[in-house]
Amino acid sequence: MIIALDGPAAAGKGTLAKRLAAALDLAHLDSGLLYRATAAVALERTVAPGDAEFIDASGSLQPGDSARNGLHSNAVATAASKAAALPEVRAALLAFQQNFARTPPGGKAGAVLDGRDIGTVVCPDAAVKIFVTASAEVRAKRRCLELQERGEDAIYQRVLQHVRERDRSDETRPVAPLKPASDAVLLDTSALTPDEVFEKAMAIVRSRSAG
Ligand code: DC
């Protein structure tokens, strides 16, 4: 079984993906980490990477790269958003994601993949597609809390601005823009606790797998 979770930054996809994978004994791939790793590798090679450096980095990713430190910094997030707009980078990362879905590691019977284009491009035949979203304000608040828990400075207005800029860049890029698949179920988490989000997602999974 393939579960595709898509949606904007900090909508709660990551937490939900981990919980679904654990509850259903499926493998989990956070595809955003592949774009972040591409950005981090390119940034390590040069301070202001351009298209060529991002493309080169995406083609030479090593298995350990998506477990690097510092992948959640603002600098990496901004560079990842630029890298994600390049068709060559997306093509280089597509095969890895589709392979993961087709042959999940650990002999699992399926996988949960979370990202921006899983239901539309990576796994258009996924049995379950959920588009997880929340207002920009709620997502910025959650992101601030996350940063503070990690001991980093977080100024709400700045984080909100950053969230909106990334949304714009992810939604308006010509290749694989962030949008719900036509057969995705929308799940707005703005007013929900993580437990409520999980319960609603499980109900969607049950109804989709029954049908
Ligand atoms: O989900 P995230 O914040 O870790 O994603 C980092 C960047 O990668 C973000 O700008 C969106 C992009 N991305 C993408 O274009 N397609 C995906 N499947 C996953 C992430």
Side-chain angles (χ1 to χ4, degrees):
M1 185 205 301
I2 305 295
I3 300 180
L5 296 185
D6 290 302
K13 297 184 303 278
T15 310
L16 176 59
K18 283 192 200 97
R19 286 187 71 171
L20 285 178
L24 299 165
D25 195 26
L26 302 173
H28 169 223
L29 178 67
D30 172 354
S31 65
L33 283 181
L34 302 176
Y35 291 89
R36 287 172 182 267
T38 297
V41 167
L43 281 168
E44 198 172 79
R45 293 182 186 163
T46 168
V47 273
D51 294 4
E53 284 81 18
F54 287 131
I55 294 166
D56 195 54
S58 68
S60 61
L61 276 192
Q62 299 298 314
D65 286 333
S66 54
R68 284 166 165 252
N69 288 328
L71 293 186
H72 291 281
S73 72
N74 269 346
V76 168
T78 303
S81 196
K82 283 185 193 145
L86 301 171
E88 295 89 342
V89 168
R90 305 203 68 86
L93 302 182
L94 182 63
F96 178 88
Q97 296 172 79
Q98 290 183 328
N99 235 355
F100 187 99
R102 221 172 286 132
T103 322
K108 302 280 186 189
V112 181
L113 287 87
D114 71 273
R116 303 290 191 286
D117 64 338
I118 307 298
T120 50
V121 176
V122 179
C123 302
D125 298 329
V128 182
K129 297 181 187 179
I130 306 177
F131 194 83
V132 187
T133 187
S135 71
E137 290 77 9
V138 166
R139 289 185 287 124
K141 250 180 237 156
R142 289 182 187 156
R143 185 90 185 104
C144 275
L145 280 178
E146 244 176 67
L147 289 169
Q148 283 158 359
E149 274 164 19
R150 264 191 238 134
E152 293 173 36
D153 280 345
I155 298 161
Y156 173 75
Q157 285 303 337
R158 213 176 281 164
V159 173
L160 178 61
Q161 189 191 346
H162 196 242
V163 162
R164 288 195 171 129
E165 278 164 12
R166 276 185 58 200
D167 284 355
R168 205 170 311 122
S169 146
D170 292 344
E171 284 164 8
T172 58
R173 67 177 177 228
V175 234
L178 170 66
K179 63 163 197 263
S182 55
D183 51 350
V185 179
L186 289 190
L187 179 53
D188 188 329
T189 69
S190 302
L192 302 177
T193 65
D195 283 350
E196 289 167 338
V197 173
F198 174 68
E199 287 309 326
K200 282 196 188 280
M202 282 297 281
I204 295 167
V205 171
R206 276 185 223 111
S207 74
R208 286 287 168 119
S209 6

